[in-house]
Amino acid sequence: MVVFDACSRIQGRLRCLSDCAESLINGLPFPECICYVPGEIEFKPKKPFTLFIYAKPEISSQKTEILCTSKHRIFLFGFNDNSITGGRWVRIKTLFDSGALVKFDSTLEWILFSENDLIKTNVSDSETADSWRLVVDYTYILNPLAKNGINVLPVDETAVEQLHSIPTSWSLSHDQALVNFLHKEVWKWTAKDFVDSVENSENCGDASRLLEDHDSFAWYAYSEVSDLTLTMKDGTVLRSLTICFTDEQNLDNPPPIPSMVSLYGGMKGLEEMLLSYKLNSSDLVNGSLRMILEESKYVPSLKLEFKGYGICISDLQFEGTINGLEEHEYFSSLNAAVKAQESENSIASFELDFIQSRTVLLHRTAELLDSVLAYIVPFWEFSPGSFGCMKVLQNLMPISKMRKNLIKDVLQKTVSHKDGETPFLYIKRNFLSTIKSHKDTVFSQIYDGVMREEARRGKNNSDFRFAQNVTQWWKCAFIGEGIIDHGGGFRDTLSDISEELCPSEADSQLLLPFFIPCANQQNGIASNYRDAYIPNPSCMEFQKYEWIGKLMGACIRSNERLSMTLSPFFWKMLAESEPTWLDYMSVDETEVKTLIEMEKMDEAAYTAYFGEMRTWTVVLSDGTSLLLKPNGDNQTVSYGDRLEYIWLVKERRMTESMRQVAAIRKGLLQVIPKVLLWLFTPFELEMKVCSTPEILFEDLKKHVIINDLSFKESQTVKYFWNVLEDFSSTDRSHFLRFATGRRRLPTDVYVSERSETDVLPTSSTCGHEFYLPKYTRCLN
């Protein structure tokens, strides 16, 4: 196999990424080397095996089978991602047996390639570059001595041309839309996609939740030998399995790692050993063990055996194929491509073949980016040279596979909060009708209390650089209330603060001046962002905005959320993600549409529609009127000047809350390193801080835990599910608040049985516990 030294390879890939960035910015074809697809490759069987040839790249399609021996030679092409690994669909060109051509139905042309069955015959691994990765390295490495004796395998010219071509109307915004689609609809393969079910041995917790997307869940095994049995889904071919032996809620006291891990595979109950590892802490990377399987084939059942008491597993990550498709290749199926056409208007007019090819290139670029990510992320904002142009590659972050571990590593290495520094506060909660000034709000009481604690201790205790397992940022004693705060009271105050900053009901009193309803809410515009808020352009209390930013940073570091609905435009500004005028639709849809139409109008339509209505003024979201020109309120906007007017309005409206957002960002970056703003998308930043206000019954049900099996099957619990399903999203939020102190998911609720009958339920928010009495009937 061709091997270049690590330093030369990294430098070469940085040069390639710089060229890729220029291609993205200017809408140009990608460098030819990243478009590389090898031509025809000759293979021979490693051992006798049955070759299946399919009509389509689908296991269920028409097929024929041929027994291949050492005398067969198979010519294949179409390695579209050029990674000759197990479980890949490729095309077969010809098949020979002892030099004689083997004939088969010409409509059959696909095989499911596995390196376990076939080995190359017409190339030498040590001298020939036959994958796009090696060709990129070969092209961009400057040292000529490193290239001596290396040849690049001839290309599949048709395939390369398809990847290299780009329509003239394609732009960076289209790439952004495609990446967002891939992230939301395609790049979602999880344990559930590979595994039907998981069973665990005795004296262990319930491992079934390892198949769910829980950042905070950890499975513990309390016996010297324990095991997990995974029933794999049909059509899955596993190449690697990564086991994470950490507990995000217990970073200060990490659980022991197993002394040995063994992997067995085969029919359920008849599994044979595939891999076995004797472990010490140096064998793990960020607390994880990656097990690479030598054979790439479907295995109905996998069994993991662990030796060691008290081990913990927080995550299982799988790499491989499903029904012959790589994770990124799922998009190339027709149904997924059609779905993309329907869901993303900006790419709907382009041919499906081009969309599929562009997907491959974006995936390749993201893979290159992953390989050098740690070397460039901190620098691309500050460098005027090659790193500077790479900031456009931030658009590929949603499909990066290294990003999640890098985020986790950065957060863990920047913890500074110490035990014993948590302030203790006395809070008096008031009814809304009795609040006479914002000083009576929970927000102001906590802010003033934390500031007093800082002054008393002579140090900044509100940096909020917590470890993820810290459950309280402050402790509360509620005056006149019988609440003992073991976490539930703290979460109650976060919910109170969120409601005071951004009321969830449109007719609620606005108690604090920091955020105001966006124009869509004020004007009753029925858009997806009708209930959103934005920072108040008139509010100049920047120190408190800064503190709000600190609270947001603390949310990113923990499992807490501020239940606020802020405009997507705000999150783009906060993340310095260069929002556009179309993004401002989430603030003022009417104004955006009006200016778009104004720009398109001819003079007659403009005169008829606007006449002398428009002057050189603009009204901001808080109702403030600004002059766009001196004496602009006395001058009308003529048709010839309308483009200048449009530009000025856009500039004033899009920057109206700029100082407030800057203050929030300043506070945020005192809690999290700035590198995280580059690694999160604006939407992900919103989810980490606020989560989503919509609570679906299916999502809530995943977070309701009932450990008593007999109670779980009772009629009362059936009534309970019926009621939750009939609840509105707002009602479910109230239920969460009652049981946990939080208003949004993700948060777990532990439901236990009460002995009383037909009485009201109770809860303990500190332990997320909901006590459900017996009920004799359920009223609709």
Side-chain angles (χ1 to χ4, degrees):
M1 180 178 180
V2 177
V3 178
F4 298 104
D5 71 275
C7 185
S8 296
R9 186 173 66 251
I10 290 167
Q11 291 174 346
R13 291 186 175 190
L14 288 172
R15 295 185 190 99
C16 181
L17 283 169
S18 180
D19 287 348
C20 290
E22 294 290 350
S23 298
L24 286 167
I25 293 169
N26 299 310
L28 300 173
F30 274 76
E32 286 194 9
C33 60
I34 204 172
C35 301
Y36 176 83
V37 179
E40 180 182 292
I41 303 178
E42 180 183 340
F43 291 87
K44 63 182 179 181
K46 284 185 176 180
K47 57 187 178 182
F49 79 104
T50 301
L51 176 69
F52 294 95
I53 308 177
Y54 298 83
K56 300 177 181 178
E58 300 171 4
I59 292 177
S60 59
S61 66
Q62 178 190 351
K63 65 182 179 183
T64 188
E65 57 184 75
I66 299 172
L67 179 62
C68 291
T69 68
S70 59
K71 296 180 180 180
H72 283 80
R73 294 295 180 267
I74 306 165
F75 292 83
L76 304 176
F77 68 102
F79 291 93
N80 284 335
D81 80 338
N82 307 299
S83 171
I84 303 176
T85 53
R88 304 255 320 117
W89 287 108
V90 297
R91 280 188 166 95
I92 182 169
K93 185 174 183 180
T94 50
L95 174 63
F96 292 90
D97 181 2
S98 301
L101 180 66
V102 178
K103 295 183 179 181
F104 51 88
D105 188 342
S106 60
T107 62
L108 305 178
E109 56 176 345
W110 293 93
I111 75 163
L112 194 53
F113 179 89
S114 172
E115 61 185 357
N116 185 55
D117 298 322
L118 296 169
I119 185 172
K120 290 176 284 186
T121 60
N122 63 344
V123 295
S124 169
D125 278 351
S126 62
E127 299 176 353
T128 304
D130 60 353
S131 79
W132 70 266
R133 298 169 190 83
L134 293 175
V135 173
V136 165
D137 294 338
Y138 179 86
T139 304
Y140 280 93
I141 286 177
L142 299 182
N143 182 3
L145 296 178
K147 303 180 183 181
N148 282 346
I150 297 176
N151 299 311
V152 176
L153 195 72
V155 302
D156 182 333
E157 293 183 0
T158 301
V160 170
E161 177 59 28
Q162 187 173 1
L163 290 175
H164 196 246
S165 62
I166 180 173
T168 56
S169 56
W170 187 266
S171 67
L172 178 60
S173 64
H174 296 110
D175 283 314
Q176 291 170 331
L178 182 53
V179 167
N180 289 336
F181 168 76
L182 294 171
H183 175 57
K184 289 186 288 187
E185 303 294 340
V186 179
W187 250 267
K188 286 190 175 181
W189 283 13
T190 62
K192 280 185 177 180
D193 296 296
F194 287 88
V195 182
D196 258 333
S197 62
V198 57
E199 302 171 18
N200 52 264
S201 54
E202 295 180 357
N203 300 320
C204 302
D206 180 10
S208 61
R209 296 184 69 207
L210 286 172
L211 301 186
E212 300 175 7
D213 188 14
H214 280 277
D215 288 338
S216 58
F217 176 72
W219 175 77
Y220 277 88
Y222 297 105
S223 59
E224 287 299 332
V225 179
S226 54
D227 62 67
L228 293 174
T229 301
L230 311 176
T231 302
M232 306 301 291
K233 290 188 174 181
D234 292 341
T236 57
V237 176
L238 195 63
R239 288 203 304 276
S240 75
L241 168 61
T242 301
I243 309 168
C244 185
F245 294 106
T246 59
D247 184 352
E248 297 294 339
Q249 303 302 304
N250 195 21
L251 294 175
D252 294 334
N253 186 24
I257 65 171
S259 59
M260 180 173 286
V261 178
S262 300
L263 177 64
Y264 299 81
M267 299 299 295
K268 191 170 184 178
L270 300 173
E271 295 95 344
E272 299 178 352
M273 182 178 288
L274 303 176
L275 295 169
S276 186
Y277 295 86
K278 288 185 178 180
L279 294 183
N280 57 56
S281 57
S282 62
D283 295 321
L284 304 182
V285 178
N286 292 327
S288 298
L289 170 68
R290 187 168 184 243
M291 310 175 76
I292 301 176
L293 281 70
E294 293 182 359
E295 293 194 36
S296 300
K297 63 181 180 180
Y298 170 64
V299 180
S301 177
L302 290 176
K303 182 179 178 180
L304 286 163
E305 184 179 86
F306 309 97
K307 291 184 179 180
Y309 183 86
I311 67 162
C312 163
I313 297 176
S314 59
D315 196 15
L316 295 175
Q317 299 173 10
F318 298 81
E319 288 186 74
T321 61
I322 297 177
N323 292 324
L325 294 174
E326 297 283 352
E327 184 170 5
H328 68 277
E329 284 187 309
Y330 170 74
F331 184 81
S332 66
S333 68
L334 181 61
N335 288 340
V338 170
K339 187 175 183 180
Q341 296 270 299
E342 294 173 348
S343 64
E344 295 287 356
N345 292 331
S346 63
I347 60 174
S349 60
F350 296 91
E351 295 291 334
L352 292 181
D353 286 345
F354 168 73
I355 296 295
Q356 294 167 17
S357 298
R358 196 68 176 180
T359 299
V360 171
L361 284 178
L362 292 175
H363 172 76
R364 291 181 179 185
T365 309
E367 185 177 325
L368 276 187
L369 181 60
D370 277 345
S371 70
V372 297
L373 192 58
Y375 299 94
I376 67 170
V377 167
F379 303 112
W380 56 21
E381 171 143 310
F382 308 110
S383 170
S386 60
F387 284 121
C389 74
M390 284 191 193
K391 195 173 188 299
V392 71
L393 298 178
Q394 185 180 7
N395 292 298
L396 299 179
M397 283 300 172
I399 55 176
S400 163
K401 293 187 177 181
M402 293 295 295
R403 185 176 57 129
K404 183 177 180 181
N405 288 335
L406 187 56
I407 289 171
K408 184 185 296 185
D409 190 49
V410 167
L411 288 175
Q412 289 178 0
K413 289 181 178 178
T414 53
V415 170
S416 63
H417 181 85
K418 298 178 181 178
D419 291 338
E421 293 184 347
T422 304
F424 190 91
L425 311 174
Y426 289 91
I427 305 297
K428 179 175 175 56
R429 294 196 282 192
N430 301 283
F431 290 107
L432 292 180
S433 58
T434 65
I435 295 179
K436 297 181 180 179
S437 75
H438 67 78
K439 292 184 178 180
D440 297 327
T441 62
V442 173
F443 173 90
S444 295
Q445 292 180 66
I446 290 178
Y447 174 80
D448 291 340
V450 170
M451 293 300 110
R452 282 195 300 270
E453 280 288 299
E454 287 189 11
R456 184 178 68 83
R457 298 188 186 192
K459 58 190 296 188
N460 182 6
N461 292 317
S462 62
D463 65 0
F464 294 135
R465 288 179 175 251
F466 303 114
Q468 192 175 21
N469 61 322
V470 172
T471 58
Q472 289 181 261
W473 311 342
W474 51 77
K475 294 181 180 179
C476 302
F478 294 93
I479 299 172
E481 300 183 48
I483 294 178
I484 300 174
D485 185 13
H486 292 297
F490 158 71
R491 290 192 294 273
D492 263 348
T493 61
L494 278 188
S495 293
D496 290 333
I497 287 172
S498 302
E499 187 66 22
E500 291 168 355
L501 290 171
C502 299
S504 55
E505 302 294 335
D507 56 354
S508 296
Q509 179 184 355
L510 198 59
L511 301 174
L512 295 167
F514 307 111
F515 297 92
I516 58 172
C518 65
N520 289 337
Q521 185 177 157
Q522 297 175 35
N523 300 329
I525 301 298
S527 73
N528 293 333
Y529 314 109
R530 178 174 178 173
D531 299 329
Y533 290 78
I534 59 170
N536 184 355
S538 299
C539 182
M540 302 301 168
E541 296 188 56
F542 296 116
Q543 189 173 0
K544 291 184 178 178
Y545 276 119
E546 191 174 319
W547 197 71
I548 292 170
K550 290 184 177 183
L551 296 182
M552 291 181 173
C555 288
I556 293 172
R557 285 189 169 273
S558 70
N559 293 312
E560 303 303 334
R561 300 291 182 267
L562 291 170
S563 304
M564 301 159 60
T565 303
L566 298 171
S567 163
F569 182 81
F570 163 80
W571 294 109
K572 278 204 166 187
M573 288 188 69
L574 186 64
E576 298 182 320
S577 189
E578 300 179 0
T580 66
W581 181 238
L582 288 179
D583 293 320
Y584 199 74
M585 290 267 283
S586 64
V587 177
D588 192 343
E589 185 174 320
T590 299
E591 183 77 327
V592 172
K593 289 182 175 179
T594 298
L595 294 191
I596 289 174
E597 289 302 315
M598 181 185 292
E599 187 172 355
K600 295 177 181 177
M601 285 179 177
D602 59 27
E603 187 169 3
Y606 178 86
T607 303
Y609 191 81
F610 292 107
E612 299 185 355
M613 292 171 51
R614 291 269 169 166
T615 59
W616 290 89
T617 59
V618 62
V619 178
L620 305 183
S621 294
D622 63 352
T624 302
S625 180
L626 295 181
L627 297 179
L628 298 175
K629 283 185 174 183
N631 198 33
D633 53 342
N634 295 317
Q635 302 178 47
T636 59
V637 180
S638 67
Y639 177 76
D641 292 334
R642 77 190 192 289
L643 296 183
E644 180 187 1
Y645 168 80
I646 290 170
W647 185 87
L648 289 171
V649 170
K650 288 180 180 179
E651 195 270 336
R652 295 294 191 277
R653 292 301 303 272
M654 291 176 70
T655 59
E656 61 183 352
S657 301
M658 182 171 61
R659 289 182 294 172
Q660 290 75 17
V661 173
I664 293 173
R665 188 187 304 114
K666 181 180 178 181
L668 175 70
L669 296 182
Q670 292 177 49
V671 182
I672 65 168
K674 188 168 184 177
V675 63
L676 294 188
L677 288 187
W678 299 317
L679 296 176
F680 285 125
T681 66
F683 176 75
E684 288 170 328
L685 191 61
E686 178 185 6
M687 291 300 101
K688 290 294 288 184
V689 174
C690 298
S691 187
T692 175
E694 184 71 17
I695 301 177
L696 301 176
F697 170 69
E698 294 77 10
D699 294 334
L700 177 58
K701 191 172 182 179
K702 294 175 184 176
H703 290 271
V704 173
I705 301 164
I706 305 174
N707 289 322
D708 187 328
L709 295 180
S710 60
F711 180 53
K712 195 173 185 177
E713 301 300 325
S714 68
Q715 185 62 49
T716 293
V717 171
K718 292 178 182 177
Y719 289 153
F720 172 69
W721 292 133
N722 289 340
V723 170
L724 285 184
E725 188 170 15
D726 287 340
F727 273 179
S728 66
S729 179
T730 302
D731 293 332
R732 295 183 193 117
S733 177
H734 292 327
F735 164 74
L736 280 181
R737 175 76 185 271
F738 178 76
T740 70
R742 295 175 180 152
R743 285 168 38 193
R744 296 185 180 182
L745 294 174
T747 183
D748 292 333
V749 180
Y750 296 89
V751 177
S752 302
E753 184 179 16
R754 280 182 62 185
S755 57
E756 298 90 341
T757 301
D758 290 336
V759 297
L760 292 175
T762 57
S763 68
S764 171
T765 56
C766 296
H768 298 222
E769 294 172 300
F770 181 79
Y771 302 106
L772 184 64
K774 297 176 182 177
Y775 288 99
T776 55
R777 59 178 179 159
C778 179
L779 300 177
N780 292 328

